[in-house]
Amino acid sequence: MAPPKALLATLLSASTAAAAASLSSCPGYKASNIHHATNGVTADLTLAGDACNAYGKDLQDLTLTVEYQTPDRLHVVIQDAEQQVYQIPESVLPRPPNKASSVDQSQLEFRYEENPFSFSIVRSSSGEVLFDSSAASLVFEDQYLRLRTSLPDSPSLYGLGEHTDPFMLNSTNYTRTIWNRDAYGTPPGTNLYGDHPVYFDHRNGDGTHGVFLMNSNGMDVRIDDSNGQYLEYNLLGGVLDFYFMAGPGPKEVAAQYADVVGHSAMFPYWGLGFHQCRYGMQDVYEVAGVVSNYSAANIPLETMWTDIDYMYLRRVFTLDPVRFPLHKVRELVDYLHQHQQHYIVMVDPAVAYVTEGYAPFTNGVEAGAFLRDGDGGIYKGVVWPGVTEFPDWFAPGTQDYWTSEFASFFDAETGVDIDALWIADMQPKCHAQVKFSVRAKTFEGENILVNGNTVTLGKNDIWNAPVLNADDYPVWTGTIDMPANKKVTYQYVRYEPDGSYIYEEDNRTLTTGGCGSSQSVKDKITTKSPPHGSSNDKRELSAPKSLPLQARQSSSSGDMSGLPGRDLINPPYTIQNEAGSISNKTIATDIMHSNGLVEYDTHNLYGAMMSEASRQAMVARRPTLRPLIITRSTFAGSGRQVGKWLGDNIADWDHYRFSIAGMMNFASLFQVSMVGSDVCGFGGITNAHLCARWATLGAFSPFYRNHQELGSPPHEFYRYPLVAEAARNAIAIRYKLLDYIYTAMYDQSTTGVPLVQPMFFHYPNDPKCNSLEYQYFWGPGLMVAPVTGDNSTHVSIYMPDDIFYDYYTHETIQGDGSSMMLRDVDYTTIPLYYKGGTIFPERASSANTTTELRKQNFNLVIAPGTDGCASGSLYLDDGVSIEQDGTSYIEFNYNQDGKLKITGTFGYEVDANIESIIVLGSGSKSNDAGTGDASMASTAAGNTMKWGLPLTKPVTVDVASFQ
């Protein structure tokens, strides 16, 4: 009988230190059969000495492929010669086209050393080394890869998400683990929900470049200066598939990365409105009450959301017949639609295992849509509804099944007519911890397991029973997550070296505590070791050499499905997954998909694949409309399908601050344009000062939603007078600027230039901007500088050497590369600054819904730069359609002579016009415009000229003649 899977972690852990030490003896590889072409290099790589087998088996033969794909992108792939090692399927993340550039045209140059093989990437214009793998020998094993690059001292690095660490990454003793997990509280220093293995290396005047590793396996990325400054990849598998992006500036790197992973989706205009959600709504009447209360408080509410409260027994694609009866939910949705508002619900991937009377389960079984275990049965887990199964997004019948369930449950005529979708995780947020301690003397090779009736205790299946550890021998211990408030039966089991088991005669019982509780049980085992061992000898942690490892992958050559013979549960190299083993609190990593791929390799893709399947399902039910899907489990390229909320944060000042860097990471670096946090905090108890600040800050993130968890006092904006005022103020500004940011979203979807930009994106030659993580640009020219101190009304902000204009007063501010202190910043406002050189098309008035907002005329705010010039743009379409009948992209250019030129394309029929032109920083000449075409009012901060300029044709205006 094979040993329990959980036993492998204990048996192999003792070899970790020895394996790490053996890395120093790894020989690397030797390059041969090298071929150069105008557009790249190929070579064979052969192990250059005796295998070190540090964390597995060294692969003898590799290949190198170098492609100059575009003048600013270089592709380098190191893979196994047989192409058996797993690689991300093209169906999940399509590869960018190779446009076959040449080395002579490229901004980057590939250089190499033959023996031991290493390579470097050099900026062609300056000869500066951007990436240099000679910092350590290349290691390429069946379950471990290492590649290290040297870096300049004190580098300015960004990316490698998802995390809540500082926006500019620490460069000393820092490890960023990438392995998607449910991360309540989004704690810093840990892996979170997303997998984005890309980093930007910003070197001020020497330029910025980007490095993307296309690999979905678990990894630790280490950045340290202990032996020279370096960045090191430590991977659990896959291949080394690098894309190097030349820049030379950060905006260019962002655009080049978008070309690699896909440009951000274009979302509906109304999606930029304000959203409200709360977990713990008692019934549909409470949901309706929240909608009504926002209206009574005169706070615009665009979209109402419902968490899993609406489901019957937490089962997906159901309604609770008592609390959320269908006719009442449809009545709510009809009301929202009649009032130009929208409705969104959550959908989980986990489908309840209910064999009778539950169509989503039986339909999925018939479609072959669910993951299967090693015996061919449906793989089961435990989530909100209890025992569940999970769709296999690789299975051929899953998309049709998923689309059908959406079409039925969300039918506009008979079901819940949602306008968009919210995707959550697979794991329950509520669990209890139990520490087991049992006194048991054992002999060498004998182990103690605990087996019981919960999933984490093996579900009475000895193969899945966890092994306890002997660190405090003869007491064996283990702390295990279990369902809250549950009666559990369990027993201790001796596992013998010959594969047999010795069970206790009687079961034990315990009752777990509530959510987040912890408890301990201390027992004495009732069985004895068999007579052939010495009960006084402590067992050893070394693994028996005959210990079999399952070969679950295909062994055929060239299918890139994964090498056979790997330990898919407890690999020899242990990444620093905050949840522990890579299978903890997720689908077991030895589960095989229908196409032969295993979760060990594809775990980080699961959420992204659900997003794609759900997007297709939403398009199928509304074929002409852009889908809006918000999720939190993302992978590189997810932005081309979905938006992102930053997970289950906490209602405290730290998470208020974390939300800024999180937004910049996703919108600016990872190409997920629609991103935002749970405003006022999901977990814990907020307060009026924090919530007011967050209400104003959230208004300047692309995705703007108030949300919270079950059990804490409700914190909808209208519940605090201070917060209500802050929200009204912030939403009014946001809505006036909505077309400005909608244009920036369109630009990101087409060019890759982000709609949210860190300060160093605008001032790449100013090193003082590198570490700024609380100031940023919303769109191309509005600088946001929120108050970030706890319960503070003061903030020090940095003003680069440039001209700015206060958003509220229009006062001119000449920055000189130093900080200035803002005092007495009211909790109902947020500091905002127009950047000189930008033109802002703003709606003349706000509105209660985005439908009414689109009927308002525009004001054109001109913020001249130091040269007296300014430019801007405005994108117009119908706001919702996938295919547009006509669009306009209007460009505004203002020169130092005071002439404004309006050019571009004018395909969208719009009734609104330019109602006024406001030139900031200009002195007044006259209160009489002297023409029937315009009138003017002036202040020391600038002139406002009344016009009636159409947005349907080119126009040139001599603004100076009216100043």
Side-chain angles (χ1 to χ4, degrees):
M1 181 179 293
K5 300 173 189 175
L7 178 59
L8 299 178
T10 298
L11 296 177
L12 293 170
S13 62
S15 64
T16 300
S22 71
L23 283 173
S24 61
S25 66
C26 290
Y29 288 80
K30 178 182 179 180
S32 62
N33 196 24
I34 303 168
H35 293 283
H36 292 265
T38 57
N39 63 338
V41 181
T42 61
D44 295 331
L45 304 178
T46 306
L47 199 65
D50 294 335
C52 62
N53 297 330
Y55 293 105
K57 181 180 179 182
D58 286 87
L59 273 62
Q60 181 72 27
D61 297 308
L62 309 175
T63 63
L64 166 73
T65 304
V66 179
E67 298 172 326
Y68 290 95
Q69 293 192 334
T70 71
D72 48 39
R73 185 175 75 232
L74 181 61
H75 185 211
V76 177
V77 183
I78 299 174
Q79 60 186 320
D80 59 309
E82 298 298 323
Q83 294 191 355
Q84 285 183 270
V85 172
Y86 161 78
Q87 298 190 36
I88 299 171
E90 284 265 0
S91 61
V92 178
L93 185 56
R95 304 313 191 258
N98 181 359
K99 298 180 181 179
S101 183
S102 69
V103 62
D104 294 335
Q105 299 170 322
S106 179
Q107 297 181 43
L108 301 173
E109 181 184 350
F110 178 84
R111 298 177 183 176
Y112 64 90
E113 296 291 335
E114 292 185 27
N115 190 17
F117 169 76
S118 67
F119 72 91
S120 59
I121 307 298
V122 176
R123 190 177 295 281
S124 302
S125 60
S126 64
E128 183 179 14
V129 177
L130 307 181
F131 192 95
D132 182 2
S133 74
S134 66
S137 59
L138 169 65
V139 180
F140 200 123
E141 298 179 345
D142 56 352
Q143 292 198 255
Y144 175 75
L145 287 76
R146 182 192 70 179
L147 186 138
R148 177 183 293 188
T149 177
S150 57
L151 293 169
D153 293 339
S154 302
S156 297
L157 304 177
Y158 311 85
L160 298 175
E162 179 182 4
H163 58 78
T164 50
D165 299 335
F167 181 59
M168 190 175 83
L169 300 175
N170 189 359
S171 59
T172 301
N173 193 27
Y174 178 71
T175 299
R176 171 57 22 243
T177 299
I178 298 179
W179 182 256
N180 295 2
R181 74 177 184 98
D182 187 356
Y184 180 84
T186 61
T190 71
N191 52 307
L192 302 181
Y193 307 96
D195 180 346
H196 298 271
V198 60
Y199 72 85
F200 286 39
D201 184 341
H202 176 59
R203 302 186 181 182
N204 297 110
D206 292 330
T208 309
H209 67 277
V211 180
F212 171 50
L213 174 58
M214 188 176 284
N215 184 298
S216 66
N217 287 86
M219 67 180 76
D220 287 335
V221 184
R222 296 195 181 116
I223 306 173
D224 198 11
D225 58 0
S226 58
N227 186 22
Q229 188 71 62
Y230 67 85
L231 181 148
E232 179 182 275
Y233 295 94
N234 296 266
L235 312 173
L236 292 182
V239 302
L240 297 170
D241 190 347
F242 284 104
Y243 290 86
F244 297 95
M245 295 149 288
K251 292 181 186 178
E252 289 81 7
V253 174
Q256 292 154 16
Y257 180 61
D259 290 340
V260 174
V261 299
H263 288 206
S264 293
M266 190 62 186
F267 296 98
Y269 184 96
W270 63 262
L272 290 168
F274 168 64
H275 304 255
Q276 174 63 52
C277 186
R278 172 158 47 91
Y279 175 35
M281 293 284 193
Q282 292 300 306
D283 51 35
V284 66
Y285 301 101
E286 185 174 7
V287 177
V290 170
V291 175
S292 177
N293 287 335
Y294 266 104
S295 178
N298 195 29
I299 301 173
L301 173 64
E302 186 71 18
T303 307
M304 189 66 207
W305 297 46
T306 303
D307 209 311
I308 60 174
D309 308 303
Y310 75 91
M311 300 177 186
Y312 174 63
L313 300 178
R314 302 297 190 252
R315 297 174 185 171
V316 69
F317 303 124
T318 68
L319 287 173
D320 186 302
V322 176
R323 298 184 305 113
F324 288 85
L326 176 60
H327 70 286
K328 285 296 182 184
V329 174
R330 286 183 55 79
E331 189 177 313
L332 169 67
V333 176
D334 287 345
Y335 175 89
L336 290 169
H337 289 171
Q338 290 164 8
H339 290 78
Q340 303 172 343
Q341 295 168 295
H342 302 84
Y343 188 57
I344 297 176
V345 299
M346 175 188 283
V347 171
D348 288 325
V351 179
Y353 191 94
V354 180
T355 57
E356 295 183 4
Y358 182 48
F361 171 77
T362 55
N363 292 343
V365 172
E366 291 176 4
F370 297 131
L371 289 169
R372 298 279 171 171
D373 60 27
D375 297 323
I378 293 176
Y379 173 76
K380 303 180 185 68
V382 176
V383 194
W384 296 109
V387 178
T388 55
E389 62 279 346
F390 303 90
D392 179 355
W393 305 114
F394 287 109
T398 302
Q399 183 63 64
D400 287 345
Y401 156 70
W402 201 244
T403 299
S404 177
E405 296 303 319
F406 271 64
S408 175
F409 185 68
F410 297 123
D411 185 273
E413 302 300 325
T414 61
V416 182
D417 187 18
I418 60 172
D419 298 287
L421 183 68
W422 179 21
I423 298 174
D425 303 299
M426 299 175 288
Q427 301 305 319
K429 301 175 179 64
C430 179
H431 65 266
Q433 284 193 337
V434 179
K435 181 179 181 180
F436 291 90
S437 300
V438 58
R439 182 172 292 274
K441 291 186 177 181
T442 59
F443 59 82
E444 182 178 350
E446 186 180 26
N447 286 272
I448 303 298
L449 319 177
V450 57
N451 191 209
N453 67 337
T454 72
V455 169
T456 51
L457 295 182
K459 197 69 175 177
N460 295 325
D461 178 357
I462 194 64
W463 176 254
N464 291 307
V467 62
L468 301 181
N469 72 67
D471 292 346
D472 298 319
Y473 183 85
V475 177
W476 294 68
T477 61
T479 301
I480 299 172
D481 288 343
M482 299 169 62
N485 301 309
K486 180 178 177 62
K487 185 176 181 180
V488 176
T489 61
Y490 68 97
Q491 62 178 185
Y492 298 105
V493 182
R494 292 178 183 269
Y495 174 70
E496 305 304 301
D498 63 1
S500 63
Y501 301 102
I502 302 175
Y503 294 85
E504 294 187 300
E505 290 186 3
D506 298 320
N507 286 331
R508 305 168 187 265
T509 62
L510 64 88
T511 299
T512 60
C515 294
S517 65
S518 60
Q519 64 194 94
S520 299
V521 294
K522 296 182 179 181
D523 297 315
K524 184 176 181 180
I525 201 165
T526 61
T527 60
K528 295 182 179 180
S529 295
H532 61 268
S534 170
S535 61
N536 293 321
D537 292 336
K538 180 180 177 180
R539 42 87 70 188
E540 297 296 328
L541 292 176
S542 59
K545 292 183 179 178
S546 60
L547 191 67
L549 300 177
Q550 281 192 307
R552 294 287 303 275
Q553 304 96 320
S554 167
S555 60
S556 60
S557 176
D559 61 9
M560 300 180 185
S561 64
L563 292 169
R566 296 181 293 168
D567 180 353
L568 301 173
I569 296 294
N570 292 294
Y573 177 79
T574 304
I575 61 172
Q576 296 181 27
N577 178 24
E578 182 69 10
S581 165
I582 56 174
S583 277
N584 281 11
K585 302 180 182 180
T586 189
I587 295 172
T589 46
D590 66 343
I591 292 297
M592 181 181 288
H593 293 273
S594 68
N595 62 351
L597 300 181
V598 290
E599 271 294 293
Y600 178 94
D601 297 314
T602 64
H603 162 87
N604 285 336
L605 303 177
Y606 192 92
M609 294 187 70
M610 179 183 178
S611 295
E612 172 63 16
S614 300
R615 181 181 177 87
Q616 291 187 37
M618 290 293 285
V619 170
R621 61 182 288 273
R622 289 184 173 182
T624 64
L625 300 182
R626 294 177 193 148
L628 170 63
I629 299 171
I630 301 295
T631 187
R632 63 180 171 184
S633 179
T634 55
F635 186 72
S638 285
R640 72 188 195 278
Q641 304 157 341
V642 296
K644 154 82 177 180
W645 103 95
L646 293 170
D648 290 344
N649 60 7
I650 302 298
D652 61 28
W653 290 99
D654 282 340
H655 283 81
Y656 165 82
R657 290 183 285 266
F658 292 162
S659 70
I660 304 172
M663 173 184 61
M664 289 195 293
N665 270 316
F666 276 89
S668 307
L669 308 183
F670 304 154
Q671 287 294 327
V672 182
S673 65
M674 181 68 84
V675 59
S677 68
D678 280 348
V679 170
C680 297
F682 176 76
I685 301 174
T686 196
N687 61 73
H689 285 166
L690 172 63
C691 197
R693 284 283 184 236
W694 217 328
T696 61
L697 175 64
F700 296 94
S701 62
F703 175 56
Y704 185 25
R705 181 184 70 166
N706 180 324
H707 181 42
Q708 71 180 104
E709 72 177 345
L710 173 74
S712 58
H715 61 47
E716 287 88 2
F717 288 159
Y718 56 77
R719 296 183 183 272
Y720 306 84
L722 182 71
V723 178
E725 183 181 354
R728 283 190 288 266
N729 293 344
I731 293 172
I733 298 171
R734 176 186 177 90
Y735 278 21
K736 288 180 182 179
L737 289 163
L738 211 63
D739 290 84
Y740 157 82
I741 204 67
Y742 185 69
T743 301
M745 176 182 287
Y746 174 78
D747 287 340
Q748 184 160 6
S749 74
T750 54
T751 69
V753 175
L755 64 83
V756 172
Q757 297 177 22
M759 293 292 289
F760 81 89
F761 272 46
H762 281 256
Y763 304 99
N765 296 326
D766 184 350
K768 293 180 181 178
C769 289
N770 293 1
S771 61
L772 293 178
E773 59 182 348
Y774 300 144
Q775 286 177 231
Y776 59 93
F777 280 90
W778 199 58
L782 186 74
M783 188 171 74
V784 183
V787 177
T788 54
D790 297 13
N791 298 302
S792 177
T793 58
H794 299 351
V795 63
S796 175
I797 68 172
Y798 180 71
M799 301 301 290
D801 184 8
D802 204 347
I803 190 169
F804 297 88
Y805 304 88
D806 185 282
Y807 175 85
Y808 303 95
T809 67
H810 293 178
E811 177 188 0
T812 302
I813 301 169
Q814 178 60 58
D816 60 0
S818 63
S819 296
M820 72 177 190
M821 179 64 72
L822 304 182
R823 302 184 184 279
D824 301 322
V825 181
D826 196 275
Y827 283 94
T828 63
T829 191
I830 182 171
L832 303 171
Y833 298 90
Y834 294 116
K835 179 188 177 183
T838 313
I839 297 178
F840 298 80
E842 302 182 12
R843 294 286 179 174
S845 300
S846 183
N848 278 329
T849 65
T850 61
T851 300
E852 291 303 311
L853 181 67
R854 289 173 61 86
K855 300 175 183 178
Q856 308 302 311
N857 286 331
F858 286 89
N859 291 335
L860 212 58
V861 179
I862 300 175
T866 54
D867 60 358
C869 300
S871 63
S873 57
L874 173 64
Y875 173 73
L876 297 171
D877 65 8
D878 70 14
V880 294
S881 298
I882 295 175
E883 298 293 334
Q884 295 286 332
D885 290 335
T887 66
S888 295
Y889 194 91
I890 304 169
E891 296 179 88
F892 307 101
N893 286 280
Y894 178 82
N895 66 22
Q896 62 268 38
D897 296 327
K899 286 187 171 57
L900 173 68
K901 290 186 177 181
I902 303 176
T903 59
T905 59
F906 300 88
Y908 179 69
E909 293 293 331
V910 58
D911 293 330
N913 59 37
I914 298 176
E915 183 176 293
S916 66
I917 299 173
I918 304 168
V919 181
L920 303 181
S922 57
S924 60
K925 291 184 178 180
S926 170
N927 288 328
D928 181 4
T931 175
D933 297 329
S935 62
M936 180 184 73
S938 64
T939 69
N943 292 330
T944 299
M945 286 147 278
K946 298 295 184 180
W947 298 87
L949 296 177
L951 290 166
T952 55
K953 62 181 180 180
V955 177
T956 298
V957 180
D958 187 357
V959 177
S961 65
F962 301 109
Q963 294 189 42

